[in-house]
Amino acid sequence: MATNTSSTWQGWAKFAVAVAVLIALPHVLYPVFLAKVLCFALFAAAFNLLLGYAGLLSFGHAAFFGFAAYVSAHTAKEWGFTPELAIIAGTLVAAVLGVLMGLLAIRRQGIYFAMVTLALAQMVFFICVQAPFTHGEDGIQGVPRGYFLGLFSLESNFAIYYFVLAVFLIGVIIIHRTVHSPFGQVLKSIRENEPRAISLGYDADRYKLLAFILSATLAGMAGSTKVLVFKLASLTDVAWQMSGEVVLMTMLGGVGTMLGPIVGASIIVTMQNYLAEIGQLTLIIQGLVFVFCVLLFRRGIVGEIKHWWTRLRGGKDEPAHLGPSGSTGLSDGDAEAAHAQERAS
Amino acid sequence: MGLKKVLLAGVAGLAMTMSAHAQYSNDGITLGVLTDMSGVYADVGGQGSVVAAQMAIEDFGGTFNGQPIKLLSADHQNKADIGANIARQWADTDGVDAIFDILNSAVGLAVQQVATEKNIVSMNSGAATTALTNEQCSPNGVHYVYDTYALATGTGGAMVKEGGKSWFFITADYAFGHALEADTSNAVKGAGGEVLGSVRAPLSNQDFSSFLLQAQASGADVIGLANAGGDTVNSIKQAQEFGIVAAGQKLAGLLIFLTDIHALGLETTAGLTITTGWYWDLNDDTRAFAKRYSEKMGGSMPTMVHAGVYSSIMNYLKAAEEAGTDDGKKVVEQLRKMEINDVFAQGGKIREDGLHFHDMYLAQIKSPSESKGPWDYYNIVTKIPAAEAYQALEDVRCPLLKK
Amino acid sequence: MIEFLGVPLPLFMGQLLIGLINGSFYAVLSLGLALIFGLLNIVNFAHGALYMVGAFVAYLLLQYIGVGYWPALILAPIIVAGFGMVIERFLLRPLHDLDHLYGLLLTFGLALVLEGSFRHFYGVSGLPYSIPDSLSGAQRLMLPSWITGGDPAFMMALPNYRAWVIVASLIICTATYILIERTKLGALMRAATENPDLVRAFGVNVPMLITLTYGLGVGLAAFAGVLAAPIYSVNPIMGSHIIIVVFAIVVIGGLGSIGGAIISGFMLGVIEGITKVFYPEASNVVIFVVMAIVLIVRPAGLFGKGA
């Protein structure tokens, strides 16, 4: 919401305007659709925390999103948890899952990291297929939206939208605080130059693990919230295609920007909603957007605008990709990057 | 929202006579066909269901309460979440009064739940699970064409009678497969047969050879295929490849559609015993319906699901007109008072639990030499009276019945 | 009947054989993937989609030009390899000097486009492709008396086509291995990734060599696709089912290790086959469990040289 260059009050003013718009929006558009957009925006923002600020591409974030969704659905439906408790339960389980997967994956980098997270997420997927409480293909259906704090019914579409909006804002504020904290600065320095960060005395693995866990936790929060909107948890949320979708949302909007993932998620969800009638074309268009982003549009929408704006004001430019070439790649990055440059010339 | 094509069926129509107290939201009626347009069941339902729906609207006269009947359609992609979202959005923003087809059990259950919440009607032609009329039954839901119980009783009972005493199941590892296996096991045991074992195959499995080998090693007379769609097609194909039928074991496909037979060919399927809710070549009425349908669908014949969609829409419209309202619960109540006599069923009744209680058919797949051409696939062996085909009302575990 | 761990021995042996057949597909696919990764440093997410395209090309050749199985087994890989080389030249080459993750993302997008296009035009019910006449029929396999310790016992009917799948993939894997590890062209390919300057100094067109390598890897995927067409119906989603599994196999073998990919392909097919006997519900997940264990014990994979 707020940009990091503006002074504090300007940031707060922009934030207030954005919130006002979000409050007014359901009177114009279908609230359930808007709530879906917010859930995915939070998911993408959580994912971006890891990719954009720690330079780690996870291909297994669906595991957190989807598994938390199941937990929140189960606690709300079978154990009668109130909505906020169900979300907390899902979020906590996602955090635990994040610790487990993080410990296994964080020692790897670049492509290895992506593959390991993918494989671990597949294991979570198959657990969800088999475990009796998820009801396999049927999913957990008829999850009650319940009463907020046991008092206020969230049954109406407006009520649930404002509830989701509140969760979304909490999530976004946590992410914003994290990115602009000393912790966030260390993460960025690790992303830019890991050996140097280590030589300065930072335990890079510990920082990356913390970022991973935080990202997993917030992804879980998004998944738990989505369940209450749709009253249903299903295998779609935990399948590997979902992991791909969140990468797409983040890339399209702009990796490493606050607003980017939110914009990307809004565009993708809108597209899925309105293009559903042309069936498989959605898949093709998503694929083409992916290819287009990677080839020509690596900063994403928000990233390109920011880039253009900074250039206009003669400011310092940021690189147009995930990090310095090779830094998130495999072994001896520098030598490889040099080779790659040779090859391309 | 943009999930569908809006089809205005028949602009000109006769002014309908109607009761003075009619209460319709938005004055008219909006119907939704929610089906699998692109997935494994796209041939079973899909575009064909939309065509069947258009035929029903046309035959009804095109208008309702003086307004053209609106028809929406959408693809649920076999995903419960997508299906439920579309149903919710239809009810919230498009004023849809009733949803039809709904292939796939998981989607069926989800949509019936939404229908209950929004007090619209869900008329299910495609999904098989008995949960729709048992644990999760609803005053807003009608289960129209077949269920796992009817399929299991028909095929299981018949095959035991033919001498298939011992059974081994290859079961799709999800709720639908488990239910089909359990229902068939009961039917087999009830008819004096025995079940030697079963193996659970993951859903959308490509390679069944390993499971077929286990079935072969069990020495059972019959290998029951408690799966559907692509899984059934693959298991039948691979059973032939591994010479399992040639070695003397019989296959029992528990849920097989006309279009599956069409895709597999008669060489592979000849002699299979199946249970079906309807067949296009039953009588003059069904043949006339099938002819009209196939002219619109490039020559392919309607499945039992397509006929079910046609009939369910027709009867929904009649009931809504009779009841003078589009209130979901009231229309279903009205449906329960009617007897269904049309191209799909004779003497059909909608029961308290929401089940459409009608006769089923036991059929055997023709050999290539018996068949007179494309789509001539079934020999109807016998009609299974509704009372034998379906669960007795006193056994149904539907909370609505305990009032 | 003699038993092995509570399972009749003939059944157990039959399952091993079926595991080996599935392993054949894994081996050819993971070989192509490892080749592309080892030489180009790209994780080719489109590999599964190109395997599917291979099967479709065979189907279309038969349908529209009347070209049968045997010519298709050669033609389809060549056509798909050509298509792959176009992809490499115009889409992947601009990414060479960027982080390798972009290659992964681009090929992921390509996979979506390919799968979506075929789904759009052909649906997902699958199209039939019959086994060539020369390979129809099956052999009755018996367990000889020296294994059973008594009379020979019937093991299983092995379809001739499936036997051919094992033979064909063994041939193609060996041939590729020899090409890469033992010939001058293979040596150049390896050198071009390790030290492009030096290779260029010898007057070798390095970008062309890279394009060829991608074409070879993709051609292998298409070959597997044609092999698979008669067994499983030709289906737009056949690639997305298998790609994740093959990824795991390549990681187990050690990313980039050609021999490792082949061996782990066959090995994991067999492990999966055994799982289907004892705990079929876990057969989908066993490969990922093996992968997790390997990564903990030997992070570079079974045959990898450090990472």
Side-chain angles (χ1 to χ4, degrees):
Chain A
M1 312 263 100
T3 64
N4 49 3
T5 47
S6 332
S7 60
T8 318
W9 75 264
Q10 247 185 332
W12 279 109
K14 282 184 194 170
F15 184 72
V17 171
V19 171
V21 169
L22 286 172
I23 288 174
L25 219 47
H27 296 278
V28 186
L29 292 166
Y30 181 44
V32 173
F33 162 73
L34 291 172
K36 183 181 179 186
V37 170
L38 289 183
C39 290
F40 277 98
L42 179 58
F43 183 27
F47 172 80
N48 181 47
L49 186 62
L50 190 62
L51 177 63
Y53 298 100
L56 290 168
L57 174 67
S58 156
F59 230 95
H61 256 50
F64 310 119
F65 184 76
F67 199 75
Y70 276 122
V71 172
S72 143
H74 186 76
T75 51
K77 189 182 174 187
E78 305 292 336
W79 299 352
F81 277 27
T82 53
E84 69 284 352
L85 280 179
I87 289 178
I88 291 171
T91 310
L92 285 179
V93 171
V96 173
L97 201 59
V99 173
L100 295 176
M101 273 174 72
L103 282 172
L104 280 172
I106 214 74
R107 291 186 298 162
R108 324 294 308 165
Q109 293 187 330
I111 291 169
Y112 275 91
F113 180 80
M115 307 285 276
V116 174
T117 45
L118 175 61
L120 293 172
Q122 277 310 94
M123 287 170 67
V124 174
F125 175 79
F126 287 118
I127 290 168
C128 291
V129 173
Q130 290 298 336
F133 90 96
T134 62
H135 299 280
E137 287 289 306
D138 290 354
I140 303 179
Q141 302 181 342
V143 179
R145 283 177 183 166
Y147 291 82
F148 178 54
L149 298 174
L151 297 171
F152 309 102
S153 169
L154 297 180
E155 217 37 63
S156 92
N157 287 340
F158 279 98
I160 195 72
Y161 171 80
Y162 289 118
F163 178 74
V164 172
L165 179 59
V167 175
F168 169 78
L169 291 175
I170 292 170
V172 166
I173 289 168
I174 292 176
I175 293 170
H176 186 259
R177 298 291 305 175
T178 308
V179 168
H180 295 96
S181 69
F183 172 76
Q185 298 305 320
V186 177
L187 271 186
K188 273 189 222 165
S189 75
I190 293 173
R191 183 193 68 182
E192 297 301 331
N193 192 337
E194 186 167 340
R196 187 190 289 166
I198 293 172
S199 73
L200 287 175
Y202 292 112
D203 182 350
D205 278 358
R206 221 183 103 241
Y207 277 92
K208 286 198 275 185
L209 181 62
L210 280 175
F212 188 87
I213 295 169
L214 187 58
S215 171
T217 310
L218 291 168
M221 187 157 113
S224 316
T225 313
K226 182 184 171 241
V227 160
L228 297 177
V229 178
F230 293 114
K231 307 182 162 193
L232 187 124
S234 75
L235 288 173
T236 315
D237 298 336
V238 73
W240 65 267
Q241 285 86 349
M242 183 61 82
S243 299
E245 227 161 74
V246 74
V247 181
L248 178 60
M249 290 170 180
T250 312
M251 293 246 345
L252 177 63
V255 176
T257 60
M258 271 313 287
L259 209 53
I262 298 167
V263 171
S266 316
I267 294 174
I268 297 290
V269 173
T270 311
M271 200 171 89
Q272 286 169 344
N273 231 39
Y274 288 89
L275 294 185
E277 67 185 280
I278 46 177
Q280 303 308 332
L281 290 183
T282 326
L283 206 60
I284 304 177
I285 292 170
Q286 274 191 21
L288 288 176
V289 171
F290 236 116
V291 172
F292 177 70
C293 279
V294 170
L295 282 179
L296 306 166
F297 207 60
R298 278 188 283 275
R299 289 187 183 87
I301 294 170
V302 173
E304 290 290 346
I305 293 173
K306 255 176 84 175
H307 168 70
W308 177 76
W309 185 244
T310 332
R311 282 261 299 257
L312 205 71
R313 304 210 298 194
K316 190 177 130 272
D317 208 2
E318 285 194 28
H321 42 80
L322 298 173
S325 157
S327 71
T328 54
L330 296 163
S331 51
D332 48 352
D334 291 345
E336 273 210 24
H339 293 166
Q341 233 124 32
E342 289 294 338
R343 223 183 284 145
S345 54
Chain B
M1 318 291 282
L3 285 163
K4 63 280 131 176
K5 293 172 259 194
V6 177
L7 304 160
L8 296 178
V11 180
L14 294 166
M16 311 291 295
T17 48
M18 54 195 155
S19 85
H21 318 287
Q23 291 287 318
Y24 304 109
S25 52
N26 315 323
D27 285 342
I29 286 277
T30 306
L31 309 176
V33 170
L34 184 56
T35 185
D36 176 4
M37 292 284 188
S38 55
V40 282
Y41 302 127
D43 294 336
V44 174
Q47 192 54 36
S49 292
V50 177
V51 167
Q54 284 163 333
M55 286 167 69
I57 292 171
E58 194 180 300
D59 291 354
F60 190 78
T63 57
F64 189 95
N65 194 26
Q67 300 281 328
I69 299 167
K70 277 193 215 153
L71 177 65
L72 311 183
S73 68
D75 183 2
H76 60 48
Q77 298 171 36
N78 288 314
K79 288 181 181 152
D81 54 335
I82 297 182
N85 294 354
I86 294 172
R88 176 164 289 121
Q89 199 158 331
W90 272 356
D92 281 341
T93 65
D94 297 294
V96 164
D97 299 301
I99 300 178
F100 302 87
D101 192 343
I102 332 177
L103 272 162
N104 181 316
S105 294
V107 184
L109 290 169
V111 170
Q112 183 159 297
Q113 210 132 40
V114 174
T116 315
E117 187 190 320
K118 303 283 173 194
N119 196 21
I120 59 172
V121 177
S122 136
M123 290 186 89
N124 203 313
S125 286
T129 179
T130 44
L132 283 167
T133 54
N134 280 275
E135 293 82 1
Q136 304 198 39
C137 68
S138 151
N140 295 66
V142 176
H143 195 183
Y144 212 79
V145 177
Y146 58 89
D147 64 15
T148 51
Y149 186 92
L151 298 167
T153 326
T155 310
M159 293 200 68
V160 175
K161 258 184 234 159
E162 286 171 25
K165 294 278 179 211
S166 58
W167 284 59
F168 186 93
F169 290 99
I170 296 179
T171 304
D173 195 11
Y174 67 109
F176 155 75
H178 299 173
L180 197 50
E181 181 194 324
D183 286 340
T184 317
S185 296
N186 287 336
V188 166
K189 286 174 197 154
E194 56 170 339
V195 175
L196 299 180
S198 72
V199 58
R200 301 265 161 98
L203 181 69
S204 291
N205 189 51
Q206 293 252 311
D207 186 42
F208 282 88
S209 46
S210 163
F211 305 116
L212 287 163
L213 225 57
Q214 293 182 47
Q216 187 173 36
S218 75
D221 300 330
V222 180
I223 301 173
L225 303 176
N227 48 23
D231 282 352
T232 311
V233 169
N234 271 337
S235 15
I236 294 177
K237 247 177 83 171
Q238 290 169 12
Q240 199 188 29
E241 197 191 340
F242 280 86
I244 284 174
V245 181
Q249 281 175 306
K250 280 188 190 155
L251 289 181
L254 296 168
L255 175 51
I256 291 195
F257 296 98
L258 187 69
T259 42
D260 294 334
I261 305 291
H262 188 69
L264 278 162
L266 291 179
E267 284 83 4
T268 317
T269 52
L272 272 181
T273 301
I274 63 155
T275 306
T276 186
W278 184 84
Y279 180 49
W280 67 268
D281 198 10
L282 286 173
N283 55 48
D284 288 343
D285 283 350
T286 59
R287 280 187 286 271
F289 172 79
K291 190 161 168 281
R292 261 180 75 202
Y293 172 92
S294 93
E295 277 161 10
K296 292 173 200 270
M297 278 298 289
S300 60
M301 286 295 180
T303 63
M304 55 174 155
V305 172
H306 297 139
V309 168
Y310 174 87
S311 167
S312 55
I313 289 184
M314 211 57 182
N315 288 301
Y316 170 84
L317 290 172
K318 282 181 196 161
E321 194 171 51
E322 198 75 26
T325 174
D326 56 3
D327 176 295
K329 290 187 180 64
K330 287 184 184 149
V331 177
V332 174
E333 234 163 66
Q334 177 64 36
L335 272 165
R336 292 205 186 98
K337 292 181 199 146
M338 300 165 33
E339 192 180 85
I340 292 169
N341 284 305
D342 62 6
V343 67
F344 178 77
Q346 290 295 319
K349 280 209 157 332
I350 310 294
R351 279 195 328 203
E352 279 298 297
D353 56 353
L355 181 86
H356 180 200
F357 189 72
H358 63 102
D359 300 338
M360 298 284 287
Y361 299 90
L362 190 71
Q364 193 161 41
I365 307 303
K366 291 183 174 179
S367 65
S369 57
E370 280 175 289
S371 166
K372 289 198 247 4
W375 302 104
D376 179 25
Y377 299 146
Y378 293 4
N379 268 325
I380 299 295
V381 179
T382 169
K383 186 191 263 190
I384 311 168
E388 281 174 38
Y390 287 100
Q391 247 175 324
L393 204 51
E394 56 265 30
D395 297 335
V396 169
R397 305 170 300 276
C398 168
L400 289 178
L401 300 176
K402 293 198 188 103
K403 275 186 280 187
Chain C
M1 189 176 281
I2 34 161
E3 294 199 344
F4 177 79
L5 296 177
V7 174
L9 188 63
L11 175 63
F12 184 78
M13 299 298 283
Q15 297 291 1
L16 281 189
L17 193 59
I18 285 178
L20 205 60
I21 297 167
N22 289 335
S24 306
F25 289 110
Y26 293 156
V28 178
L29 283 168
S30 53
L31 171 61
L33 207 58
L35 192 69
I36 292 174
F37 183 80
L39 273 57
L40 280 76
N41 268 323
I42 287 171
V43 172
N44 188 26
F45 222 112
H47 213 68
L50 291 161
Y51 156 82
M52 175 271 289
V53 173
F56 260 98
V57 169
Y59 171 81
L60 296 172
L61 282 174
L62 182 70
Q63 212 63 23
Y64 295 106
I65 323 180
V67 173
Y69 175 80
W70 295 106
L73 197 56
I74 305 200
L75 277 177
I78 293 175
I79 294 170
V80 176
F83 177 58
M85 289 195 274
V86 173
I87 293 175
E88 201 285 331
R89 174 64 190 82
F90 294 102
L91 299 179
L92 289 173
R93 193 174 295 173
L95 302 176
H96 272 330
D97 56 342
L98 296 176
D99 195 289
H100 307 310
L101 289 171
Y102 283 114
L104 173 96
L105 296 174
L106 183 107
T107 49
F108 179 76
L110 274 180
L112 293 184
V113 174
L114 288 173
E115 190 185 316
S117 313
F118 280 94
R119 282 173 77 150
H120 183 66
F121 290 109
Y122 295 96
V124 293
S125 343
L127 304 159
Y129 190 93
S130 29
I131 293 173
D133 288 339
S134 47
L135 288 175
S136 59
Q139 302 298 321
R140 277 176 67 84
L141 295 188
M142 309 295 282
L143 277 184
S145 41
W146 60 268
I147 294 182
T148 61
D151 292 328
F154 173 70
M155 188 171 110
M156 66 180 284
L158 175 67
N160 293 341
Y161 186 81
R162 302 228 178 193
W164 156 246
V165 167
I166 301 183
V167 175
S169 49
L170 278 176
I171 294 173
I172 206 85
C173 286
T174 317
T176 313
Y177 185 79
I178 291 172
L179 174 74
I180 301 295
E181 302 286 341
R182 300 276 181 272
T183 66
K184 187 155 172 274
L185 180 65
L188 277 179
M189 281 175 164
R190 281 178 289 138
T193 32
E194 273 157 35
N195 198 339
D197 286 335
L198 196 65
V199 178
R200 191 178 296 109
F202 286 122
V204 176
N205 185 346
V206 174
M208 175 57 95
L209 212 54
I210 299 226
T211 309
L212 274 178
T213 309
Y214 190 77
L216 178 62
V218 161
L220 285 169
F223 181 82
V226 185
L227 270 188
I231 297 191
Y232 319 120
S233 38
V234 178
N235 196 322
I237 54 177
M238 65 199 277
S240 60
H241 276 307
I242 206 166
I243 182 70
I244 307 287
V245 172
V246 176
F247 271 159
I249 290 171
V250 175
V251 171
I252 292 169
L255 267 168
S257 161
I258 308 271
I262 300 174
I263 296 170
S264 4
F266 282 108
M267 195 176 71
L268 282 149
V270 170
I271 290 177
E272 197 186 47
I274 296 171
T275 316
K276 278 181 184 164
V277 186
F278 293 104
Y279 189 32
E281 288 90 341
S283 59
N284 266 339
V285 74
V286 66
I287 289 178
F288 299 102
V289 175
V290 173
M291 171 173 160
I293 294 171
V294 166
L295 282 171
I296 294 168
V297 181
R298 260 190 78 89
L302 292 181
F303 303 88
K305 313 172 204 79

